[in-house]
Amino acid sequence: MKYPIDMHTHTIASGHAYTTLLENAKYASEIGIEILGTTDHAPSMQGSPHIWYFDNYKALPRKIYGVTMLYGSEANIIDYDGNLDLPEDLQERLDIMIASMHDPIMKPNCDRDLNTRAILKAMDNKNVHIIGHSGNPTFPIHEEALVKKAKEKNILIEINNSSFVRSRIGSDKTCAKIARLCKENGVRIILDSDAHSCFRIGNFDAAIKVLKDIDMPEELIINRSTKEFMEFLTKEKGKVIEER
Ligand SMILES: [Zn+2]
Ligand SMILES: [Zn+2]
């Protein structure tokens, strides 16, 4: 597996995904994923779990079927001040935090200034490691401001495979632009499947094609190295990923 990390996946707990945590881990193990992020939607998304779901991850082992599990959430940006829908002390305890804008948690609008403000403010939150599917045309932004802020705050920009094949139609142009800006500014990106069933885990084919088209340097794709990714979390972000 060239890119043995998938940090954005959902389980049945999200309410609109179809496989369990165990099924996801098993499938990941079979295809050669070494580190799997399980990042169910945080509570303001319809059908998503109560905060206790995220608070009780300690019930789970660090490795399942030989795959290192990182327990986190795809939190919703809930306002233009960049607030998220998980309590701060819980955010701190999660292994991995993605922040994303979703319809209908935020009303779709074409005001680039406002959307950008929401994301940039969320990036001031030290618990945010990844900005999810920021190329979504439902929430147009100033892409350059996003990438510069990612550089300043050392946050990974996600290139989300599902944005090209399943949802968020029209993301491809914006995602290519964001990736190109990341290349120009030396900002690392992360490939994510955003799988809502195990069968899409580790599939980054469409995202890789976009990166190929802009000749993205390999060293800016953090999925290529489990060592670099774990150092990003532990050394650069100060996370303690304890053995269990
Ligand atoms: Zn999302
Ligand atoms: Zn997602």
Side-chain angles (χ1 to χ4, degrees):
M1 188 84 179
K2 189 175 177 194
Y3 298 117
I5 299 166
D6 191 349
M7 218 25 61
H8 185 164
T9 64
H10 296 273
T11 75
I12 51 169
S14 278
H16 59 275
Y18 304 95
T19 47
T20 66
L21 185 77
L22 282 189
E23 287 161 346
N24 285 2
K26 187 162 191 287
Y27 185 90
S29 163
E30 285 165 4
I31 62 166
I33 289 287
E34 294 172 41
I35 310 177
L36 183 68
T38 186
T39 51
D40 281 307
H41 289 289
S44 53
M45 176 74 78
Q46 288 78 352
S48 66
H50 188 269
I51 55 167
W52 290 355
Y53 174 83
F54 303 99
D55 209 15
N56 200 34
Y57 275 142
K58 56 187 176 298
L60 291 160
R62 178 61 69 201
K63 282 198 185 231
I64 304 181
Y65 297 113
V67 177
T68 297
M69 303 293 295
L70 294 183
Y71 298 106
S73 178
E74 182 183 18
N76 296 287
I77 297 173
I78 54 172
D79 57 32
Y80 294 111
D81 288 323
N83 286 305
L84 305 179
D85 56 346
L86 287 172
E88 208 169 315
D89 62 319
L90 179 52
Q91 293 179 27
E92 279 169 20
R93 289 199 299 281
L94 296 178
D95 298 328
I96 189 81
M97 275 269 301
I98 303 170
S100 306
M101 284 175 88
H102 291 112
D103 169 16
I105 315 303
M106 294 283 279
K107 273 220 162 65
N109 75 73
C110 52
D111 188 330
R112 280 178 195 271
D113 293 345
L114 263 184
N115 295 332
T116 306
R117 177 191 151 105
I119 292 193
L120 296 190
K121 292 258 183 187
M123 293 167 90
D124 282 328
N125 180 340
K126 66 177 174 11
N127 299 310
V128 171
H129 308 122
I130 298 171
I131 290 294
H133 49 69
S134 54
N136 186 358
T138 306
F139 300 104
I141 55 164
H142 298 296
E143 294 86 3
E144 193 151 357
L146 164 83
V147 171
K148 294 227 153 104
K149 186 84 172 189
K151 177 135 193 145
E152 179 197 332
K153 297 287 179 178
N154 192 21
I155 289 174
L156 303 173
I157 299 286
E158 176 184 82
I159 303 296
N160 183 304
N161 202 71
S162 289
S163 294
F164 308 117
V165 295
R166 191 172 53 85
S167 48
R168 297 179 289 274
I169 304 304
S171 290
D172 41 353
K173 275 204 185 81
T174 322
C175 289
K177 182 176 179 190
I178 289 169
R180 201 176 308 113
L181 286 165
C182 286
K183 177 184 168 184
E184 286 165 16
N185 289 276
V187 169
R188 286 178 298 191
I189 61 101
I190 184 161
L191 297 165
D192 277 328
S193 70
D194 198 3
H196 283 64
S197 82
C198 64
F199 309 106
R200 292 189 186 267
I201 289 174
N203 185 337
F204 311 126
D205 292 351
I208 289 169
K209 190 180 171 304
V210 169
L211 297 185
K212 267 217 172 96
D213 288 347
I214 63 141
D215 201 16
M216 190 74 174
E218 273 295 309
E219 66 266 23
L220 291 181
I221 306 172
I222 201 162
N223 308 64
R224 83 193 187 292
S225 165
T226 53
K227 181 170 178 282
E228 185 178 332
F229 180 75
M230 288 312 283
E231 283 181 0
F232 163 74
L233 271 188
T234 56
K235 294 196 178 144
E236 298 173 33
K237 292 297 178 189
K239 278 270 132 199
V240 177
I241 309 293
E242 80 285 4
E243 292 301 320
R244 298 184 191 163

